[in-house]
């Protein structure tokens, strides 16, 4: 009775604040003839590694955290573990001590491989390397043929702005991917996903092959989930109830034109949510939300005539309580985050955590020293004075933070304006289409 009425000062509350938040409203990708197993059920057969069915093994933690990790996360005083989600967002965990209590943060690491392209690729000097990759592997790549994930994902890479045309190297990778997919699957593949998977894996030596393997798996997942049409027909059952219990939606845009998404994590009615929806129903509701974000980004890019596949995420912690860190809810959030990280890479531009309790801000001040600087730069942890920071960052709230536009209403309006064919196809600038021979 008193646990839910206490101020959310317990360090356990901080545990999955960011992880639960962005997962509380996103996900879904287009047809492939491959069959996809759920991420929670990887294949144990070595032969099956040459399919896209199973989740690839996670990368080993960085060398400087191995010793601490070996002592177990519960016993470690300070440790950080990076869990690789190739080509997309990764999860980072930091455990530290604030005062005399241990605080664990689990954060979605969006900067690790965010929009990276090899430095040389921006002026076309890597096109020869991309071509040689495709030539070296005339057979269809699969998970077993990929090289190990590099330890240093930042060596020799520079960010590529979303709106920049595809470089010569990126064009070669896209052509290789389309060739491996085959004519029919390539034509059905959303164009924005071609770009995000190409740019998300540019740090790898097997750039073309890795981009293809993980994109093909995402396409198989999309087919299984029905993601391509999930927003064009009737929404998932009891959608209105889900949006009431798990509030989130669009609230504005930033100075670059990115959509701004509000996640009201502190106002999620956890007990009612878990009672009303099974794990699979919860995942499907989140898939609707996440595919809505993709479609709305396509509509936004079309209106602006500028490719923008990333969004700004605002995570509101007001109302946070112990109910938000129950094991079942945390498990659901982790599953959604991992699934979306694999299948929607390169989609987060920046995170703002607002109305953060003092203990969370204190813990972040310590924990960020263990997290990659690129990731740290993507997060702003703010208290109640967040409005001034938003103004300085050029964020315009068009709906007001108290009343975000629901995903159902926003996507319905976008479909009426642009039609399902344009939205489902994804946005690609005319210059890129011409160079790829597409219409």
């Amino acid at each position: 009775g008193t646990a839910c009425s206490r101020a959310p000062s317990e360090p356990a509350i901080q545990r999955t604040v960011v992880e639960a938040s962005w997962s509380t409203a996103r996900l879904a990708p287009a047809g492939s003839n491959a069959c996809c197993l759920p991420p929670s059920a990887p294949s144990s057969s070595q032969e099956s590694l040459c399919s896209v069915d199973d989740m690839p093994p996670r990368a080993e933690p960085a060398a400087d955290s191995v010793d601490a990790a070996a002592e177990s996360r519960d016993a470690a005083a300070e440790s950080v573990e990076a869990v690789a989600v190739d080509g997309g967002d990764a999860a980072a965990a930091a455990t530290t001590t604030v005062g005399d209590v241990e605080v664990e943060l689990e954060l979605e690491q969006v900067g690790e491989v965010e929009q990276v392209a090899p430095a040389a690729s921006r002026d076309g000097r890597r096109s020869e390397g991309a071509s040689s990759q495709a030539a070296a592997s005339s057979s269809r790549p699969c998970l077993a043929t990929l090289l190990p994930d590099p330890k240093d994902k930042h060596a020799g890479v520079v960010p590529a702005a979303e709106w920049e045309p595809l470089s010569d190297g990126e064009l070669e990778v896209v052509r290789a991917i389309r060739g491996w997919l085959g004519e029919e699957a390539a034509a059905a593949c959303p164009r924005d996903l071609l770009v995000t998977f190409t740019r998300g894996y540019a740090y790898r030596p097997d750039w073309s092959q890795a981009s293809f393997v993980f994109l093909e798996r995402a396409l198989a997942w999309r087919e299984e989930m029905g993601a391509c049409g999930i927003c064009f027909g009737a929404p998932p059952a009891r959608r209105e109830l889900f949006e009431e219990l798990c509030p989130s939606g669009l609230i504005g845009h930033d100075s670059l034109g990115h959509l701004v998404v509000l996640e009201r994590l502190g106002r999620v009615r956890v007990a009612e949510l878990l009672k009303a929806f099974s794990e699979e129903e919860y995942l499907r509701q989140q898939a609707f939300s996440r595919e809505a974000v993709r479609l709305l980004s396509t509509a936004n890019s079309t209106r602006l005539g500028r490719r923008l596949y990333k969004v700004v995420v605002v995570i509101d912690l007001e109302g946070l309580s112990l109910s938000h860190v129950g094991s079942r809810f945390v498990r659901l959030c982790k599953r959604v985050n991992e699934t979306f990280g694999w299948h929607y890479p390169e989609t987060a531009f920046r995170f703002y955590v607002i109305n953060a309790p003092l203990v969370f801000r204190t813990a972040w001040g310590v924990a960020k020293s263990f997290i990659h600087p690129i990731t740290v730069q993507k997060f702003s942890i703010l208290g109640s004075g967040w409005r001034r920071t938003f103004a300085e960052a050029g964020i315009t709230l068009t709906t007001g933070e108290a009343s975000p536009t629901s995903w159902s209403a926003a996507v319905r309006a976008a479909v009426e304006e642009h039609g399902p064919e344009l939205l489902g196809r994804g946005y690609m600038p005319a210059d890129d289409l011409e160079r790829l021979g597409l219409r």
Side-chain angles (χ1 to χ4, degrees):
T2 59
C4 291
S5 62
R6 284 203 302 266
S9 59
E10 288 79 356
I13 292 178
Q14 321 310 324
R15 182 172 178 174
T16 52
V17 162
V18 177
E19 181 177 70
S21 57
W22 180 218
S23 73
T24 4
R26 20 196 232 180
L27 193 109
S32 168
N33 56 10
C35 177
C36 180
L37 291 176
S40 59
S43 170
S44 60
S45 169
Q46 191 65 27
E47 291 78 5
S48 68
L49 289 176
C50 279
S51 72
V52 295
D53 293 358
D54 51 332
M55 295 292 289
R58 294 179 172 179
E60 293 297 322
D64 58 1
S65 67
V66 170
D67 293 338
E71 299 174 12
S72 86
R73 293 174 65 184
D74 293 335
E78 296 180 343
S79 66
V80 174
E81 179 187 53
V83 182
V85 180
D86 295 316
D89 303 339
T95 305
T96 187
T97 300
V98 179
D100 58 354
V101 295
E102 189 179 80
V103 178
E104 182 179 282
L105 296 176
E106 295 199 23
L107 303 173
E108 188 166 341
Q109 186 157 331
V110 298
E112 186 76 15
V113 290
E114 169 143 321
Q115 268 190 294
V116 292
S121 77
R122 301 316 307 159
D123 60 9
R125 290 197 297 272
R126 181 153 175 195
S127 60
E128 181 179 348
S131 298
S132 64
Q133 291 178 44
S137 179
S138 57
S139 60
R140 189 182 182 92
C142 63
L143 188 62
T145 64
L146 296 184
L147 298 174
D149 199 46
K151 294 293 185 181
D152 186 355
K153 298 181 180 181
H154 304 283
V157 297
V158 293
E162 299 152 75
W163 49 85
E164 287 185 0
L166 294 173
S167 69
D168 290 343
E170 290 169 339
L171 286 167
E172 289 294 334
V173 172
V174 170
R175 291 186 183 107
I177 291 172
R178 287 176 57 82
W180 283 319
L181 283 173
E183 184 176 352
E184 183 177 349
C189 179
R191 292 166 178 174
D192 55 318
L193 294 184
L194 273 174
V195 175
T196 58
F197 276 86
T198 294
R199 287 181 167 172
Y201 290 93
Y203 67 94
R204 291 182 60 113
D206 51 354
W207 182 13
S208 299
Q209 290 87 347
S211 298
F212 164 74
V213 167
F214 297 122
L215 172 60
E216 186 184 43
R217 188 183 61 189
L219 297 179
W221 175 86
R222 289 176 67 83
E223 185 174 15
E224 180 185 22
M225 181 61 68
C228 287
I230 196 170
C231 291
F232 299 141
R238 297 176 294 156
R239 179 66 192 179
E240 291 185 4
L241 175 61
F242 180 82
E243 293 188 351
E244 178 184 345
L245 300 178
C246 195
S248 66
L250 296 178
I251 57 171
H253 55 80
D254 71 0
S255 59
L256 295 174
H258 295 108
L259 299 178
V260 178
V261 174
L262 174 64
E263 301 281 355
R264 287 196 173 281
L265 176 61
R267 298 193 183 182
V268 174
R269 288 148 59 182
V270 176
E272 295 176 67
L273 181 71
L274 297 179
K275 183 177 180 180
F277 297 94
S278 68
E279 183 171 334
E280 293 306 317
E281 289 172 333
Y282 179 82
L283 181 62
R284 183 162 181 79
Q285 295 287 353
Q286 295 291 14
F288 179 96
S289 299
R290 185 58 191 87
E291 186 67 4
V293 173
R294 191 187 76 81
L295 299 179
L296 292 169
S297 292
T298 295
N300 185 47
S301 297
T302 302
R303 283 192 298 268
L304 298 176
R306 187 185 199 198
R307 177 165 50 207
L308 292 170
Y309 44 74
K310 293 178 181 288
V311 296
V312 174
V313 184
V314 179
I315 303 161
D316 188 358
L317 302 188
E318 184 177 6
L320 203 69
S321 73
L322 289 175
S323 67
H324 294 93
V325 293
S327 60
R328 186 180 170 195
F329 183 61
V330 169
R331 184 174 65 251
L332 285 176
C333 293
K334 286 184 175 182
R335 180 181 175 187
V336 169
N337 258 2
E338 182 174 81
T339 303
F340 291 4
W342 281 114
H343 302 324
Y344 289 91
E346 299 292 293
T347 53
F349 181 72
R350 189 169 183 82
F351 284 87
Y352 292 93
V353 180
I354 66 173
N355 296 316
L358 178 60
V359 66
F360 182 89
R361 284 176 279 159
T362 303
W364 172 255
V366 177
K368 67 182 181 181
S369 62
F370 301 105
I371 300 173
H372 197 284
I374 292 179
T375 300
V376 171
Q377 291 173 10
K378 301 298 175 184
F379 278 88
S380 293
I381 312 298
L382 309 172
S384 58
W386 52 267
R387 291 175 181 82
R388 183 175 65 181
T389 301
F390 279 21
E392 293 171 351
I395 293 177
T396 301
L397 302 180
T398 55
T399 66
E401 69 274 11
S403 56
T405 303
S406 75
W407 298 121
S408 297
V411 79
R412 187 164 53 245
V415 171
E416 291 176 358
E417 180 180 359
H418 299 284
E421 183 178 354
L422 183 147
L423 295 180
R425 185 169 61 235
Y427 181 84
M428 182 175 282
D431 288 349
D432 286 347
L433 291 173
E434 182 177 355
R435 295 177 72 188
L436 288 168
L438 302 176
R439 292 183 298 174

